[in-house]
Amino acid sequence: PLRHHSSAWKIELPPLTLAISFISRFSPPPSPPSLSPSHSTNMFGRTAGSKPGSAGVASASQSNVDRRSRLAQLALETIDLEKDPYFMKNHIGSYECKLCQTIHVTAESYLAHTQGRRHQQNMQKRALREQRNQGGSAVLAQTKVAVRKTVKIGRPGYRVIKARDAETNQLGLTFQVEYPEIEENFIPRYRFMSAFEQRVETPDKDYQYLLFAAEPYETIAFKIPNKDIEKNVGPENPGESKFWTKWDEHAKVFSLELNFKPPKKEFVQREKSTYNAMAPKDDPKSNYAYFNK
């Protein structure tokens, strides 16, 4: 309605219409909607692809973490870690890979490690090493000499001669073993054995054994002192060297002579003399120290 005043004509409008016109005059223009599909919203104000009550679409890194966690849980249900030869739980509760020498906080981390490149490469190296070792052992097994099984006819006859050198005081032993029924083209053999190798007597570190063997006789052994033996001294001729062996094909006698090393001479420490050359003497002409008393 129009009212007449003395100063001017005025038009009166309702209060709500005045407020709307004032806000629309001074407010900025609305921004255009975003075209990105990940940030587009629907009529309810939610992000596209999300559900009510959710926190939005996960990023790529969060998806990878969730995927690895689900795969680890699935692997734990299907794989028994107790049967893994490289899986070990240490004293602090962590898990270790004995093949790669790595430490993991959880079992899921260990499973993820087993699917990694480092663990797979170490597994291939271990398989190649085991295959190479098996091949070498197979070659050794093929080249191993089979043990002959012969019927033993008894022990051979023997003679032992003891001697001592008058100059060096060395103890010598000469063994003569008779093999009249030895096989053709066969030479008797001998070897020294430690007291801890045999299982017949109680081991005694003060003794060792000298063995003689030839087919088809039984192996015999002689118990000798456990002392150093001189070997490869001089020519291998009887009477000229300290250690020699001889096989007489006509008499069928195998001889061996050895000599123990002479005992070491004990060092006798001399008593210290009480004579002092720098001590002052009564005669002033014989010692300069007399003047420095």
Side-chain angles (χ1 to χ4, degrees), residues 190 192 229-237 240-245 257-259 261:
Y190 71 94
F192 292 92
I229 299 173
E230 289 192 358
K231 295 182 180 180
N232 299 327
V233 180
E236 295 185 359
N237 296 323
E240 297 183 8
S241 61
K242 299 294 183 180
F243 184 89
W244 56 267
T245 60
E257 181 178 334
L258 58 88
N259 287 268
K261 291 184 178 181

Side-chain angles (χ1 to χ4, degrees), residues 115-244:
Q115 304 302 321
R117 182 178 60 182
R118 178 181 178 183
H119 189 83
Q120 296 297 327
Q121 289 180 351
N122 291 337
M123 290 281 290
Q124 294 177 1
K125 292 179 181 178
R126 175 62 65 86
L128 291 175
R129 189 184 304 113
E130 292 180 354
Q131 183 178 2
R132 192 183 306 112
N133 295 337
Q134 291 178 358
S137 60
V139 172
L140 292 177
Q142 293 177 359
T143 58
K144 187 177 180 180
V145 179
V147 179
R148 294 182 57 185
K149 297 182 179 180
T150 58
V151 178
K152 303 298 181 179
I153 62 175
R155 298 178 183 178
Y158 59 87
R159 182 184 300 108
V160 181
I161 302 173
K162 298 181 181 181
R164 185 177 296 273
D165 193 340
E167 297 180 359
T168 60
N169 197 26
Q170 289 181 259
L171 175 63
L173 297 175
T174 303
F175 301 90
Q176 296 179 354
V177 187
E178 300 176 358
Y179 295 104
E181 302 295 334
I182 191 173
E183 294 182 358
E184 295 183 0
N185 301 325
F186 192 93
I187 300 176
R189 293 167 294 179
Y190 71 94
R191 70 175 292 248
F192 292 92
M193 176 184 288
S194 171
F196 298 95
E197 296 183 51
Q198 54 87 26
R199 296 293 182 269
V200 179
E201 299 180 352
T202 304
D204 189 352
K205 64 179 181 179
D206 295 332
Y207 294 94
Q208 59 183 336
Y209 295 87
L210 176 60
L211 280 66
F212 294 92
E215 297 293 345
Y217 292 91
E218 296 180 1
T219 302
I220 60 175
F222 297 92
K223 190 175 182 180
I224 61 178
N226 188 14
K227 298 180 181 180
D228 295 335
I229 299 173
E230 289 192 358
K231 295 182 180 180
N232 299 327
V233 180
E236 295 185 359
N237 296 323
E240 297 183 8
S241 61
K242 299 294 183 180
F243 184 89
W244 56 267

Side-chain angles (χ1 to χ4, degrees), residues 38-41 45-60 62-63:
S38 60
H39 294 85
S40 60
T41 58
R46 294 196 300 268
T47 305
S50 62
K51 297 180 180 180
S54 64
V57 178
S59 61
Q62 294 175 347
S63 300

Side-chain angles (χ1 to χ4, degrees), residues 28-48:
S31 60
S34 176
L35 299 179
S36 175
S38 60
H39 294 85
S40 60
T41 58
N42 51 19
M43 61 182 296
F44 299 101
R46 294 196 300 268
T47 305

Side-chain angles (χ1 to χ4, degrees), residues 275-293:
Y275 175 77
N276 188 1
M278 297 301 297
K281 299 181 180 179
D282 297 336
D283 188 5
K285 297 181 180 180
S286 60
N287 198 324
Y288 177 77
Y290 177 81
F291 301 98
N292 298 329
K293 288 184 179 181

